Amino acid sequence: MSGQAKSRPNGMENIVIIGIGLIGGSFAKDIRRLRPKTQVLGIDANLEHLNEAEQLGIIDGTTTYQDLSKADMVIVSIPVDALVQELPKILDAVDDDCVVIDAGSTKALACKVVENHSKRRNFLACHPIAGTEFSGPSAALEGLYDGKTNIICEVEKTAFKLQERALELFQQLGMRIRYMNPEAHDKHIAYVSHLSHISSFMLGKTVIEKEKNERDIFDMAGSGFESTVRLAKSSPAMWTPIFEQNKENVVETLEEYILNLTEFKQLLLNDEFEKVYQEMDNTNRIKEILKGIPVGNEK
Amino acid sequence: MSGQAKSRPNGMENIVIIGIGLIGGSFAKDIRRLRPKTQVLGIDANLEHLNEAEQLGIIDGTTTYQDLSKADMVIVSIPVDALVQELPKILDAVDDDCVVIDAGSTKALACKVVENHSKRRNFLACHPIAGTEFSGPSAALEGLYDGKTNIICEVEKTAFKLQERALELFQQLGMRIRYMNPEAHDKHIAYVSHLSHISSFMLGKTVIEKEKNERDIFDMAGSGFESTVRLAKSSPAMWTPIFEQNKENVVETLEEYILNLTEFKQLLLNDEFEKVYQEMDNTNRIKEILKGIPVGNEK
């Protein structure tokens, strides 16, 4: 692979994954599978996760920020509150020829905190639209990124040869690339991802509250309910800082969602069932829209 | 099979399916597979569906209300508005030894409209918790009912030997049975099914409205969004009368859902992110609850 040859003539590149959970672990698994000569090392604030990743053979070993200067590529896959704290330190620690890629679900603040960093050109802001509702290294999946979208922000701020190194990996993983500015990313992802998570969490809450004394009732639930509340299994540690960083956009989507629900409720109360039908019929268009979404899991 | 032997000593029983869509078609497919001697005939107000079902080999042929007296079993799988109109006529038309089973997603009104019917004992009120977001005979699935829950209401009002005939079929299909009164069914199903559908339809609406001028944005959606809006593909013709018949319960669930969403929004606006975390953490319990739900599709 020319991607490996670029940094180390013998293909012995070093990739460090910071945050070796579902996202980082899945990167590690595929890199080890696709690039057998590459050394994949892990860093994680959670030592249990780090040990687990090593025991599962997801990483070749562990490393520290002190040794980051040996890395050709660093993939940072940690909650976005930790990301904005760690990113400047990581850039401080890496070599001039190293590309640092993040995987955060919000992009504006991450780009902001490094905008004046002397190694801004070493950073590529990414959001791979992939994942599941599970977390930790044991949730890592081989092939997770195959066919998935990777949104890259402010690509023009990254050194060209480092962009190229990152893109070679994404291509090898089978990802399709979309370029977007961080503000547009955060605005739109609030609709197609963050709102889904809140609607699911609050659906779960509503049903649990109502049915707390009626355990058998969940016997009545089928996979329609399961599908709609699946995201309510997601990690609060991951999602709280996402909602915090993207608060303004998320609140806007929530207001529109609540308004639509309230109007629907009013149609029911007014016995306007033709309009109820029409609302659902109009929304059936989602069938066509969803055809464009790659099958698989997502965060 | 003793189930076949009961009505016709040679096993040549006659089963009529009224409404040969996803639900009726899936019953027909499994009955034909599991009981090769049984004749399965279809009735459908939609002649295209009826022809399609015959061409697909889902039914052996078609029949009419005039000939319902020859049936040993009638399965009525039509939208619940049609159900409450047709059920008394169907009971009028069948023989004293025929069991009429419905598959409606609401149960109180169906039970009410036949409570004083002279053939009330021929009717078994059922809600098989199975289906997909698709409809019509081409959406029918073999094995759809395997492992799924079938809720039976007012079982005590059905003649014992006719209950037995129906239960033999459900057992053969692999269904597990739960008994419930119609009011409890309608109340709880509003939480675990009807609310999910509205949350999904309104999520679809909110995103489509916002993103109507930005077609590319759906490139950003992953399977989390897909999972949450899957039910927004469902048939308005099926769901409008469900919401109409179960209006009171559905409005109550919607009010609680809207309240929870509004409180969550307020936590965001107040920067109470510890509480945001707590809300999600509490709802993570849904993981344990969902473990009890049979895998598959549902209506």
Side-chain angles (χ1 to χ4, degrees):
Chain A
M1 281 288 129
S2 63
Q4 295 166 34
K6 224 145 235 153
S7 29
R8 310 277 167 174
N10 61 356
M12 285 290 290
E13 64 177 352
N14 295 306
I15 296 185
V16 176
I17 315 265
I18 302 180
I20 194 80
L22 162 69
I23 294 299
S26 298
F27 272 119
K29 274 190 163 177
D30 274 355
I31 293 168
R32 278 167 57 87
R33 180 169 56 92
L34 297 165
R35 297 182 174 184
K37 289 182 178 174
T38 296
Q39 190 181 44
V40 180
L41 299 176
I43 294 178
D44 204 306
N46 181 332
L47 292 182
E48 254 178 64
H49 276 185
L50 198 59
N51 289 335
E52 200 184 343
E54 211 173 353
Q55 277 160 18
L56 290 169
I58 292 174
I59 50 174
D60 293 301
T62 66
T63 186
T64 61
Y65 276 29
Q66 284 72 45
D67 277 341
L68 274 187
S69 59
K70 296 175 191 161
D72 301 297
M73 182 184 286
V74 176
I75 298 174
V76 191
S77 39
I78 57 181
V80 294
D81 51 344
L83 175 67
V84 297
Q85 284 178 2
E86 297 304 308
L87 200 49
K89 300 184 216 164
I90 294 163
L91 286 174
D92 288 342
V94 298
D95 187 80
D96 265 348
D97 189 45
C98 175
V99 60
V100 176
I101 299 164
D102 87 316
S105 294
T106 49
K107 297 265 65 76
L109 193 57
C111 287
K112 178 89 184 148
V113 294
V114 296
E115 67 178 339
N116 299 316
H117 196 286
S118 61
K119 292 217 191 84
R120 175 62 187 86
R121 58 189 287 286
N122 293 71
F123 173 56
L124 187 68
C126 294
H127 180 193
I129 312 284
T132 71
E133 65 274 29
F134 305 111
S135 47
S138 61
L141 296 171
E142 232 176 66
L144 176 66
Y145 301 108
D146 191 28
K148 304 295 168 55
T149 300
N150 192 4
I151 297 168
I152 298 182
C153 294
E154 298 187 337
V155 66
E156 68 287 352
K157 296 193 178 177
T158 309
F160 184 70
K161 71 170 183 176
L162 299 180
Q163 287 177 32
E164 198 173 43
R165 189 183 304 161
L167 283 170
E168 253 172 313
L169 176 63
F170 300 148
Q171 196 168 22
Q172 209 177 356
L173 296 173
M175 306 194 85
R176 55 180 198 172
I177 306 299
R178 293 290 181 269
Y179 297 99
M180 200 172 278
N181 72 54
E183 290 71 30
H185 169 277
D186 287 6
K187 175 170 174 277
H188 295 301
I189 205 76
Y191 281 90
V192 293
S193 169
H194 303 176
L195 177 59
S196 287
H197 282 79
I198 298 176
S199 82
S200 194
F201 269 112
M202 291 303 104
L203 180 67
K205 182 184 176 183
T206 306
V207 177
I208 289 173
E209 274 182 346
K210 189 63 187 185
E211 305 293 8
K212 56 192 164 196
N213 297 319
E214 318 236 17
R215 297 175 62 103
D216 290 348
I217 293 314
F218 289 100
D219 271 5
M220 297 176 73
S223 71
F225 178 66
E226 186 166 26
S227 167
T228 334
V229 296
R230 178 169 75 83
L231 299 180
K233 301 179 195 171
S234 303
S235 156
M238 171 179 166
W239 282 96
T240 305
I242 291 174
F243 296 145
E244 182 169 1
Q245 289 189 16
N246 207 21
K247 174 177 141 176
E248 214 170 300
N249 289 311
V250 168
V251 165
E252 185 188 305
T253 67
L254 264 175
E255 279 170 354
E256 290 169 26
Y257 184 51
I258 291 168
L259 186 66
N260 283 325
L261 286 162
T262 306
E263 284 176 0
F264 193 86
K265 189 192 78 175
Q266 203 52 52
L267 292 181
L268 295 179
L269 285 170
N270 297 351
D271 293 324
E272 295 183 83
F273 293 106
E274 274 181 37
K275 285 187 185 165
V276 165
Y277 181 100
Q278 210 49 58
E279 286 280 294
M280 291 193 277
D281 197 47
N282 291 340
T283 307
N284 272 174
R285 286 195 297 125
I286 204 79
K287 282 181 206 173
E288 304 311 315
I289 291 166
L290 288 175
K291 277 187 189 153
I293 298 181
V295 175
N297 293 307
E298 182 254 3
K299 77 171 172 186
Chain B
M1 282 288 130
S2 63
Q4 294 167 34
K6 228 149 232 149
S7 30
R8 311 275 167 175
N10 59 358
M12 284 290 290
E13 64 176 353
N14 295 307
I15 297 186
V16 175
I17 316 265
I18 302 181
I20 194 80
L22 162 68
I23 294 300
S26 298
F27 273 117
K29 274 189 163 178
D30 274 356
I31 292 168
R32 279 168 57 86
R33 180 169 56 91
L34 297 164
R35 298 184 174 182
K37 287 185 181 173
T38 296
Q39 189 182 43
V40 180
L41 300 177
I43 294 180
D44 204 304
N46 181 332
L47 291 182
E48 255 178 64
H49 276 184
L50 197 60
N51 289 335
E52 202 183 341
E54 211 174 352
Q55 278 160 18
L56 289 168
I58 293 174
I59 49 175
D60 294 302
T62 65
T63 186
T64 61
Y65 277 29
Q66 283 72 44
D67 276 342
L68 274 187
S69 59
K70 297 175 191 160
D72 301 295
M73 180 185 286
V74 175
I75 298 174
V76 191
S77 41
I78 56 181
V80 293
D81 51 345
L83 175 66
V84 297
Q85 284 179 2
E86 298 303 309
L87 200 49
K89 299 184 215 165
I90 293 164
L91 286 175
D92 288 342
V94 298
D95 187 80
D96 264 348
D97 189 47
C98 175
V99 59
V100 176
I101 299 163
D102 85 316
S105 293
T106 50
K107 296 264 65 75
L109 192 57
C111 288
K112 178 88 184 147
V113 294
V114 296
E115 66 178 338
N116 298 315
H117 197 285
S118 61
K119 293 217 191 84
R120 174 64 188 84
R121 58 190 286 285
N122 294 72
F123 173 54
L124 188 68
C126 295
H127 180 193
I129 312 284
T132 71
E133 66 274 30
F134 304 111
S135 48
S138 60
L141 296 171
E142 231 176 65
L144 175 67
Y145 300 107
D146 190 30
K148 305 296 168 54
T149 301
N150 192 6
I151 298 167
I152 298 182
C153 295
E154 298 188 337
V155 67
E156 70 286 354
K157 295 195 177 176
T158 308
F160 184 69
K161 70 169 183 177
L162 299 181
Q163 287 178 33
E164 199 175 41
R165 190 184 303 163
L167 284 170
E168 253 173 311
L169 176 64
F170 300 149
Q171 196 169 23
Q172 209 178 357
L173 295 172
M175 306 194 85
R176 54 179 198 173
I177 306 299
R178 294 290 180 270
Y179 297 99
M180 199 172 278
N181 73 54
E183 291 69 29
H185 168 279
D186 287 5
K187 175 170 175 279
H188 296 302
I189 204 75
Y191 281 90
V192 294
S193 168
H194 303 176
L195 177 59
S196 286
H197 282 80
I198 297 176
S199 86
S200 194
F201 268 112
M202 290 303 104
L203 180 67
K205 182 184 176 182
T206 305
V207 178
I208 289 173
E209 274 181 348
K210 189 63 185 184
E211 305 294 6
K212 58 192 162 194
N213 299 318
E214 318 235 17
R215 296 176 62 102
D216 289 350
I217 294 314
F218 289 100
D219 270 6
M220 296 175 74
S223 71
F225 178 65
E226 187 168 24
S227 166
T228 335
V229 296
R230 177 170 75 83
L231 300 180
K233 301 178 196 171
S234 304
S235 155
M238 171 179 167
W239 283 95
T240 306
I242 292 174
F243 296 145
E244 184 170 1
Q245 289 190 14
N246 207 20
K247 174 177 142 177
E248 214 170 300
N249 290 310
V250 168
V251 165
E252 184 188 305
T253 68
L254 263 174
E255 278 170 355
E256 290 169 25
Y257 185 51
I258 291 168
L259 186 67
N260 283 326
L261 286 162
T262 305
E263 284 176 1
F264 192 88
K265 190 191 79 175
Q266 203 52 50
L267 292 179
L268 295 178
L269 283 171
N270 297 351
D271 292 325
E272 295 184 85
F273 293 105
E274 273 181 38
K275 286 188 184 165
V276 165
Y277 181 99
Q278 211 48 58
E279 286 280 294
M280 291 192 279
D281 198 46
N282 291 341
T283 307
N284 273 174
R285 287 195 298 124
I286 203 81
K287 281 180 207 173
E288 304 312 314
I289 290 166
L290 288 175
K291 277 185 189 153
I293 298 182
V295 174
N297 292 309
E298 181 255 2
K299 75 174 170 183

